[in-house]
Amino acid sequence: MRHLFLLLGFTLQGIATAFAQLNLAGIVTDEKEHPLAGVTIIIQGTTNGTTSQANGRFTLQTTSELPLIITVSSIGYQRKEVQVRGSNFRRIQVKLVEETVITDELVRAASRVPEDIQKTSVTIERLDNRSFSQSPAFSPFDALQNVKGVDLITQSLTFKSVNLRGFGSNNNARFVQLNDGMDNRSPGLGFGFGNVAGIPDLDVESIELVPGASSALYGPDAEQGLMLTNSKNPFTYQGLSVQLKEGVNNVGKPDFGPKAFGDLAIRYARQLGDRFAFKVNIQRFMGTDFIADDYSDRQTRSRPGFFATDRNQGGIAIGVGYIPNNNPDNNFQYDGVNVYGDEVGGNGSSYIFPSNYANVLLQNKLVTRTGYTELELLGNNGKVVNNRVNLSLHYKLTDDIEASIGWNYGSGNFMRTANFREYFPDYQRHQIKAEVRGENFFLRAYTTQQMAEAWNLGQTALAINTNWKSLAQWAAEFGQAYVENKVTVGQSRLTADRGRFLPGTNRFDAARDAFATTYDTDTIPGYRGARGTRFRDNSALWHYEGMYNFKELIGVADIVVGASVRHYALNTGGTLVSLKPDSSEYTINEYGAYIQASKELSVGDKLLVKPTLAVRYDKNQYLTGGLSPRASAVASLGSHNFRASWQMAFHNPTPGQLFSVPIVGRSGEVGGLAPTLETAGLLSKPAYLESDVADFSAGRITEAQLQARAFTPGSFKTEKLRTWEIGYKTLIQNKVSIDAYYFHSKYTDFITAQNVYQPNTGQIADLSKEAYRIVQVNLNSLSDIIVDGWGAGMEYSLGRNFMLTGNYAHQVGLITLRDAQENLVNDNAGVPIIKRKMSKPEVAQRGRNYFNTPENRYTVGLNNPHITDHIGATLTYRWTDRVWWEQGITAGDVWLPAWSSLDAQVSYKLPAYKTVVKVGGTNLLNKYYAQGYGLAQIGGMYYISLTFDELMR
């Protein structure tokens, strides 16, 4: 009897174990029954998944009960859902059908829950492994440059900022980049550094891009859009992957190029047992940056007579009238774009000879000092390095719930452009995240710990010049040589430059390093009490967030709720933003919560309508909180999907826009809060907007009228946006995919930085003596700003795996200009400026608006991933319209010319070695172009890569 009970116990235990742990097994093939490797198999409703092996077979353990459904997907094939029953769970057979036009992708970014990309109610773009492998772009992040409406502005080879829907910026704070849910921004500077510390390339599974306001679900900083980069789960993507890229850039640069670069990436992931998996990623890039070497005479409104005007219409601007003189030998005011320390109007870099000067040829004449080029100042021949590492541990609490902890690290050097070019010699960032995620919820906590120190090239060049020889002494020697020796401007400069610190010498290096390594709050012994030019942003962010989808509990509608809390701890030592009155650092607390409801409704037999309502509330401790509602809907009639949305959003100022105060004696940015303005001295002495000073200098207003227009800041507010959009997606006969949209956005309380002139003594007479400082004040514009745009993208299957793609985007920025008293502002001809393009010269004449966005851009491509069983290729042509670019205190105002780029790649697959060889390049014709004024000119990048991947995706 005892043995019978034991036998019964073992039998019951075995039955229980069988129910507790199912071992699914099967094979995946194509239509010709060839095995498919690297196919993703996931149990529907769970995070439990795996991939098929080289022979197409797969196994998957689960505690889910039969029957169940598995989702089977692979790049280039139609996704398939297969029902698993007790009769087939050990011999599942899946046959995938190849498709050229991919239309059945799932996305999360649009609504925070999985949905068919064809049926989202807002515009969304998705890039995946297929996009990355077929793109000629150097990296997954760079592949964004081919997405419709995206302006990828290159600051440095490793730092590119994403811009869309107007107000292009080198440092875009109105756009949110999330890496696995973690904010990519610099906590103190308030914007993302592109991919400097992003996910290593081999670990990127997909990138989802939502153009337009996304604040209803992602908070106020997603005012212009959201980018969600997803990494590969180690349970699903296992094994070893290695990628090596070698190439050259800077081709055709006289006395400089070409320069070699290399990029090595390694990924390893493994599952240990039933529940545990880990992954490790390492990537290192080494090369030479594209160099900012535009030495042409800078175009800026600081130049006398910069705008060409019509005197018969009150001096209204009809274009740019300034003709650059690029020869410093005969140009008194030579100011090279990428030459620093020679700025027109810069304190200490230009000198105006007095009206009673001994020689009439120099009376009231402005002369600039001799500056230093970017290469001379950097002294590193443009070398750039970038390291990215991540490590994560994953544990399945159940088939449906996965816990993970991860560490992301990024480091390297790069350039960025604000008012001047700034060099970050040793950037480092750590992000640590803990997360528990299920199909219907997630809980996430992470921290960003940053060490970012940089120095200002323009201020450093000026400081070197000034501490070698004072401006007054230099000008006296220049004038003496010019008058007495009757020599040219260039020869006079050489005379005044005798004994100057020459780049590459020990004296120059010592002076540069003294300023570049000393904080701008500290004086340097032995340098006449001058301050350094270095600033730091060693700030930190703590973020806590959760979301729950009640779709399983509430049958009436899908309800999603979520909330987040974040804390910024600024650590700049007063070098980047001011300190509190008690000399402590500022901190910023923010919180927000949202709810979203959606329901799919059937209207008749064929029409499906899915309306969605969402609203979010966010509060920054220094500003009034606000709501971000969104109402959207998508109507699907067969393969035709019509979408519409209306949203409100707002944008919080960055820490710099709140707290920045320039160092005494220097120009710089001033935050918009009243205590900050008081600390900056803008409330103790009068200051005047640049446009008003221009009117006074031209005699359009009197001194009394100028005094009446003295800058009087109001309360600093959040920026508001209202936008609506309509769109259409369809797939025609499984050959043509079309996606089109139109949007209309209106900004109020727009946050902008405007130049103000503050006389040194408070007297207006100082303005004519250049005895003033220029600072940029962050304020809320009272003008009405409208951005209208539309775009369309198409994929057309030509047969035999050939795909023709194309997209086009158009947008314009309009402004109704108002002054500080909310009165309409007239142009110089006396006509009110109402809904005019911000690029119009008569509008730009009244002040900068920083729209900085081309009206038109398009991309055309032809690709075939399977020309043969081993060969694939892509050819892409990109064109971007000219753009009116306005930037900073000293940067300039200019029409950047239109540019184009021809990109291509050819890949060859070596299945026996699980390796793909890829030869490619961007800007193959090597036509150098700049995407912003003062930025590096972008030339060709030519590369060859070898990618070993056990999954052979």
Side-chain angles (χ1 to χ4, degrees), residues 242-295:
V242 181
Q243 185 175 78
L244 175 64
K245 293 182 183 179
E246 297 285 345
V248 294
N249 67 340
N250 287 293
V251 175
K253 289 278 186 179
D255 302 320
F256 185 73
K259 301 293 184 184
F261 59 79
D263 189 24
L264 175 64
I266 301 172
R267 181 185 187 272
Y268 182 70
R270 186 176 179 185
Q271 181 175 341
L272 302 175
D274 298 339
R275 298 293 181 184
F276 179 72
F278 71 92
K279 66 178 178 180
V280 180
N281 283 277
I282 301 173
Q283 183 167 0
R284 179 174 175 83
F285 173 87
M286 296 181 64
T288 301
D289 216 337
F290 285 114
I291 301 301
D293 56 357
D294 181 358
Y295 304 137

Side-chain angles (χ1 to χ4, degrees), residues 744-746 783-788 812-818 824-825 832-838 840 842-843:
H744 173 87
S745 299
K746 182 177 181 180
S783 301
D784 297 323
I785 295 172
I786 292 173
V787 181
D788 286 322
V812 296
L814 308 174
I815 189 168
T816 296
L817 202 57
R818 301 181 187 276
L824 285 172
V825 173
I833 296 175
I834 300 175
K835 290 187 178 180
R836 293 197 217 175
K837 289 184 180 180
M838 286 178 268
K840 290 286 187 181
E842 75 275 11
V843 177

Side-chain angles (χ1 to χ4, degrees), residues 454-456 459 515-524 530-536 572-577 661-664 666:
W455 51 278
N456 184 310
Q459 291 177 356
F515 287 102
T517 59
T518 303
Y519 293 126
D520 54 22
T521 53
D522 301 334
T523 57
I524 308 173
R531 297 176 185 266
T533 60
R534 192 179 189 90
F535 64 85
R536 74 169 186 256
T572 74
T575 64
L576 188 63
V577 299
V661 174
I663 300 302
V664 175
R666 290 182 182 166

Side-chain angles (χ1 to χ4, degrees), residues 742-819:
Y742 175 85
F743 73 90
H744 173 87
S745 299
K746 182 177 181 180
Y747 292 86
T748 54
D749 293 324
F750 187 80
I751 297 173
T752 183
Q754 292 295 327
N755 287 359
V756 298
Y757 288 57
Q758 187 177 45
N760 293 345
T761 66
Q763 303 300 313
I764 289 179
D766 290 346
L767 296 174
S768 60
K769 304 175 186 176
E770 280 215 339
Y772 56 81
R773 67 166 178 160
I774 305 174
V775 294
Q776 277 192 321
V777 179
N778 287 282
L779 48 81
N780 294 109
S781 171
L782 298 177
S783 301
D784 297 323
I785 295 172
I786 292 173
V787 181
D788 286 322
W790 64 274
M794 179 204 71
E795 292 186 348
Y796 177 57
S797 176
L798 301 174
R800 297 192 176 184
N801 298 314
F802 281 95
M803 175 73 73
L804 179 66
T805 63
N807 64 67
Y808 172 82
H810 171 84
Q811 56 199 27
V812 296
L814 308 174
I815 189 168
T816 296
L817 202 57
R818 301 181 187 276
D819 63 19

Side-chain angles (χ1 to χ4, degrees), residues 181-325:
M182 294 185 293
D183 200 329
N184 189 45
R185 81 186 60 200
S186 161
L189 291 168
F191 55 84
F193 278 135
N195 208 34
V196 170
I199 297 172
D201 293 353
L202 284 177
D203 198 38
V204 176
E205 181 188 51
S206 65
I207 297 176
E208 297 178 24
L209 184 74
V210 183
S214 304
S215 299
L217 295 177
Y218 294 96
D221 297 315
E223 183 188 35
Q224 285 188 341
L226 166 84
M227 186 177 82
L228 174 60
T229 304
N230 303 297
S231 71
K232 296 174 180 176
N233 188 292
F235 283 108
T236 305
Y237 297 86
Q238 297 185 41
L240 175 68
S241 301
V242 181
Q243 185 175 78
L244 175 64
K245 293 182 183 179
E246 297 285 345
V248 294
N249 67 340
N250 287 293
V251 175
K253 289 278 186 179
D255 302 320
F256 185 73
K259 301 293 184 184
F261 59 79
D263 189 24
L264 175 64
I266 301 172
R267 181 185 187 272
Y268 182 70
R270 186 176 179 185
Q271 181 175 341
L272 302 175
D274 298 339
R275 298 293 181 184
F276 179 72
F278 71 92
K279 66 178 178 180
V280 180
N281 283 277
I282 301 173
Q283 183 167 0
R284 179 174 175 83
F285 173 87
M286 296 181 64
T288 301
D289 216 337
F290 285 114
I291 301 301
D293 56 357
D294 181 358
Y295 304 137
S296 60
D297 200 20
R298 187 163 54 92
Q299 299 190 68
T300 169
R301 64 185 63 217
S302 300
R303 303 277 194 184
F306 175 75
F307 288 104
T309 57
D310 187 339
R311 295 183 180 179
N312 296 325
Q313 297 189 61
I316 187 173
I318 55 176
V320 174
Y322 180 74
I323 300 176
N325 179 354

Side-chain angles (χ1 to χ4, degrees), residues 641-686:
N641 301 281
F642 304 86
R643 63 182 184 270
S645 63
W646 174 88
Q647 301 184 60
M648 289 176 59
F650 70 92
H651 167 58
N652 286 328
T654 65
Q657 291 172 328
L658 290 170
F659 308 122
S660 283
V661 174
I663 300 302
V664 175
R666 290 182 182 166
S667 299
E669 185 178 3
V670 178
L673 293 177
T676 307
L677 294 168
E678 185 175 0
T679 302
L682 284 172
L683 303 183
S684 58
K685 285 189 293 188

